[in-house]
Amino acid sequence: MEYVISLLGPMSAGALVTLKLFFITLALSIPLGLALALMRISSIKPLSSAVGAYIWLMRGTPLMLQLLFIYFALPFVPVIGVRLPDFTAAVVAFALNYAAYFAEIFRAGIKSVDRGQYEGAKVLGMTYAQTMRRIVLPQMWARILPPISNETITLVKDTSLIYVLALNDLLRVARGVVQRDFSFTPFIVAAAFYLIMTLILTWGFQHLEKKYSKYDA
């Protein structure tokens, strides 16, 4: 037990790196994903097609490859070429990748709202922005919470990919201690940290689903 307690300090430090990446990615990718979804359903065909191509690219290639490209290859891209710090490169890669997935979830949620409600809002004199804000988006949030919950939990686990950039996240710290002490106990402690984080997220989304269930009526 004393050995497990001795692990909590370094493992907590690693968990903080994991949580920092998680929250920044979520804060950036959700609004970006919503903006991409609105552009994807836009009647402006070139814009819709460009966003569609972006989503296809981000969903069709591994997040690990995108992470490595932004960190190692971006400095050599003409005009854009810039070398980002380790953590910033991870944030950019994760935000761009997850925004594409969230965009498709948001698009499906918006499309699921009955067209009659758009026409009803138009009869009431609402603008497109008012219709989206007051009628469509509240219903969309209620319907997309389950897939958003799945993606968010996946994001927690995907943060372990940043080990390739030598960032000391939770899993990298655990692996370092395992190699140092020749014990698998740090992996069990790391699993407990991940389970606690995903459990808190599950509870949070269950609460939100109850809150937004009134829109299902």
Side-chain angles (χ1 to χ4, degrees):
M1 190 62 188
E2 289 183 4
Y3 178 66
V4 172
I5 293 174
S6 71
L7 294 175
L8 295 181
M11 300 288 271
S12 297
L16 283 177
V17 175
T18 296
L19 288 172
K20 186 178 176 183
L21 176 61
F22 169 78
F23 282 115
I24 294 176
T25 299
L26 212 56
L28 294 175
S29 60
I30 285 183
L32 179 58
L34 181 57
L36 289 172
L38 293 174
M39 288 188 281
R40 184 76 178 94
I41 62 174
S42 168
S43 58
I44 305 172
K45 290 300 179 185
L47 179 62
S48 176
S49 298
V51 173
Y54 169 80
I55 292 173
W56 169 73
L57 176 66
M58 301 308 288
R59 296 174 70 200
T61 54
L63 174 55
M64 174 77 81
L65 179 62
Q66 297 161 20
L67 189 60
L68 293 173
F69 180 86
I70 289 174
Y71 185 69
F72 292 107
L74 196 59
F76 303 103
V77 175
V79 183
I80 301 175
V82 59
R83 179 173 291 283
L84 299 174
D86 302 356
F87 188 78
T88 304
V91 167
V92 171
F94 273 75
L96 292 178
N97 179 276
Y98 270 84
Y101 284 93
F102 285 139
E104 283 300 271
I105 294 173
F106 291 143
R107 185 177 67 85
I110 292 171
K111 289 284 188 181
S112 71
V113 177
D114 186 75
R115 291 298 304 174
Q117 298 192 35
Y118 289 89
E119 294 166 4
K122 190 175 181 180
V123 170
L124 293 173
M126 290 187 183
T127 63
Y128 177 76
Q130 289 173 327
T131 302
M132 293 299 291
R133 181 165 55 86
R134 297 181 182 179
I135 297 177
V136 177
L137 293 184
Q139 295 181 73
M140 179 203 73
W141 285 115
R143 297 175 185 184
I144 66 171
L145 280 174
I148 285 286
S149 173
N150 286 336
E151 284 298 323
T152 305
I153 288 172
T154 301
L155 172 58
V156 173
K157 295 179 287 186
D158 275 353
T159 56
S160 62
L161 293 175
I162 61 175
Y163 81 91
V164 296
L165 303 185
L167 288 167
N168 286 322
D169 72 310
L170 177 57
L171 189 59
R172 183 178 175 83
V173 171
R175 191 180 63 173
V177 178
V178 166
Q179 291 173 336
R180 182 194 68 191
D181 298 345
F182 299 101
S183 168
F184 62 84
T185 302
F187 283 149
I188 297 175
V189 177
F193 271 86
Y194 281 113
L195 286 172
I196 291 170
M197 286 188 276
T198 55
L199 181 62
I200 292 171
L201 284 172
T202 301
W203 282 341
F205 276 103
Q206 285 176 346
H207 173 73
L208 286 175
E209 286 181 32
K210 287 180 182 177
K211 180 180 177 181
Y212 280 95
S213 62
K214 60 184 179 183
Y215 292 105
D216 292 334

